[in-house]
Amino acid sequence: MRLAKVRGTVVSTVKDDSLMGIKLLLIQLISDSGDLQEDCEVAVDMVGAGIGEWVLVSRGSAARQQQRHNQKPIDAAIVAIIDTVSLDTGLLYDKREDFR
Amino acid sequence: MRLAKVRGTVVSTVKDDSLMGIKLLLIQLISDSGDLQEDCEVAVDMVGAGIGEWVLVSRGSAARQQQRHNQKPIDAAIVAIIDTVSLDTGLLYDKREDFR
Amino acid sequence: MRLAKVRGTVVSTVKDDSLMGIKLLLIQLISDSGDLQEDCEVAVDMVGAGIGEWVLVSRGSAARQQQRHNQKPIDAAIVAIIDTVSLDTGLLYDKREDFR
Amino acid sequence: MRLAKVRGTVVSTVKDDSLMGIKLLLIQLISDSGDLQEDCEVAVDMVGAGIGEWVLVSRGSAARQQQRHNQKPIDAAIVAIIDTVSLDTGLLYDKREDFR
Amino acid sequence: MRLAKVRGTVVSTVKDDSLMGIKLLLIQLISDSGDLQEDCEVAVDMVGAGIGEWVLVSRGSAARQQQRHNQKPIDAAIVAIIDTVSLDTGLLYDKREDFR
């Protein structure tokens, strides 16, 4: 899985029927120093994530393991909202710092 | 999934039988600043996308989730046409701006 | 899928039994400007592609969708020979130009 | 699989139900010279790995082969703790050197 | 599949039970000019490959197609030992040259 930051939302009217009612979020991957990387991806939100939060993103067939997403053409999903990331060199991220 | 722009079409006569009648579009991935990236890919169109439109591309086995594409040797599909992409810093893309 | 150019052939005597009789071609991926990229890959030929031709390559489990390749340890296949690639800015490739 | 070093831990309260009770470790991939690469990933620990250890990481559907992880939305797992890595040019890593 | 050179061996005592008795080799991917690339990977040996040999590596679920590796958490396998790689511009590799 990858650490990512929720950057925005993606809206689409014309889409595969199975994607109706799914929340699509724009995310940016995070490097080991906590910086945002250039590539952005779009992931299905499974946990009610909000803009600015750090999340865990699963890609590939992992995104279709939940029964209700089983046969949808999706390849990335937000599967957790991060509380803290602790490195051997100290705390990389603490949600309470970001959102107080 | 990735944001991408439809750049062109790919025509092939000699191909795997299961690919007959499938529309193949050339797409280019889009970065977080809205720029086109160097790599281009070819994706099966599932939603009637047109040249110049921003679309959502699913890759890997996700591209074969639709029943009629189930056993085809494809690894990328256009699954949605994008209306808007909204970032925390403002609107990154609005289809009505591009196509009016 | 990716656009690629067939660059050569790979011969192997000691290999997984299931790979007997399979034609392995060396391919190089093609960028949006039509240039060859540095990485080379090896793909199973499903369509009778020849050296120098532009082809369409499917990767991952997509390469095993044909019944006769179903349980082989392969992760890339040439699934089509390209006739033309048309961009919004003009023709990127025309097989008749290359092979006349 | 990739060689990686365990760098830290990731804690999450709000997550997909199937991820309850799973230990998530932050890992960094290792290059051929033994250096850490910039990208970090999050993997499910299957073998009791500790901070600082070199481990083997499997990605994609490989991470879901253990029966108890079968239908979880995970795409990376630590499947082994490395004792030694021997190159033709000498020993790249010896756990006893690192942890004595 | 990718061309790779076998660079060394990886030894692990603490590992997923299903990996007992499997030979793990360190490999380095090869570019179109025959040079080694920076990233190294670890692959399960299926064909008795030796240090210094050029091999063919399959990744992803392709590595689990052999019945005895079916449910193991592995994502890369050496599936062939290369004899020759011939490019349109000449011979890139000949095993007899390397090992005489």
Side-chain angles (χ1 to χ4, degrees), chain A residues 1 12 15 19 25 55 66 74 82-84 91 94 96:
Chain A
M1 286 76 74
S12 164
K15 57 187 164 189
L19 299 179
L25 293 177
V55 295
Q66 272 202 359
I74 60 176
I82 307 291
D83 294 333
T84 57
L91 205 61
D94 184 340
R96 290 169 307 181

Side-chain angles (χ1 to χ4, degrees), chain B residues 13 16 38 42 64 73 75, chain C residues 1 32 58-59 61 66 83:
Chain B
T13 315
D16 188 81
E38 201 190 281
V42 178
R64 297 191 301 277
D75 64 6
Chain C
M1 286 76 75
D32 65 310
S58 278
R59 297 188 284 184
S61 49
Q66 271 203 359
D83 294 333

Side-chain angles (χ1 to χ4, degrees), chain D residues 81-99:
Chain D
I81 299 175
I82 306 291
D83 294 333
T84 57
V85 179
S86 311
L87 290 185
D88 38 13
T89 53
L91 204 62
L92 181 66
Y93 172 77
D94 184 339
K95 189 181 167 179
R96 288 169 309 181
E97 293 295 313
D98 257 47
F99 286 86

Side-chain angles (χ1 to χ4, degrees), chain D residues 46-70:
Chain D
M46 292 189 175
V47 290
I51 304 286
E53 286 186 313
W54 279 33
V55 295
L56 205 59
V57 177
S58 279
R59 297 187 284 183
S61 49
R64 297 190 302 278
Q65 297 301 308
Q66 272 203 357
Q67 192 136 9
R68 66 192 161 106
H69 290 134
N70 223 58

Side-chain angles (χ1 to χ4, degrees), chain C residues 47-74:
Chain C
V47 290
I51 305 287
E53 285 186 314
W54 279 34
V55 295
L56 204 59
V57 177
S58 278
R59 297 188 284 184
S61 49
R64 298 191 300 279
Q65 296 302 307
Q66 271 203 359
Q67 193 135 7
R68 66 193 161 107
H69 290 134
N70 222 58
Q71 308 217 344
K72 293 182 175 24
I74 60 176

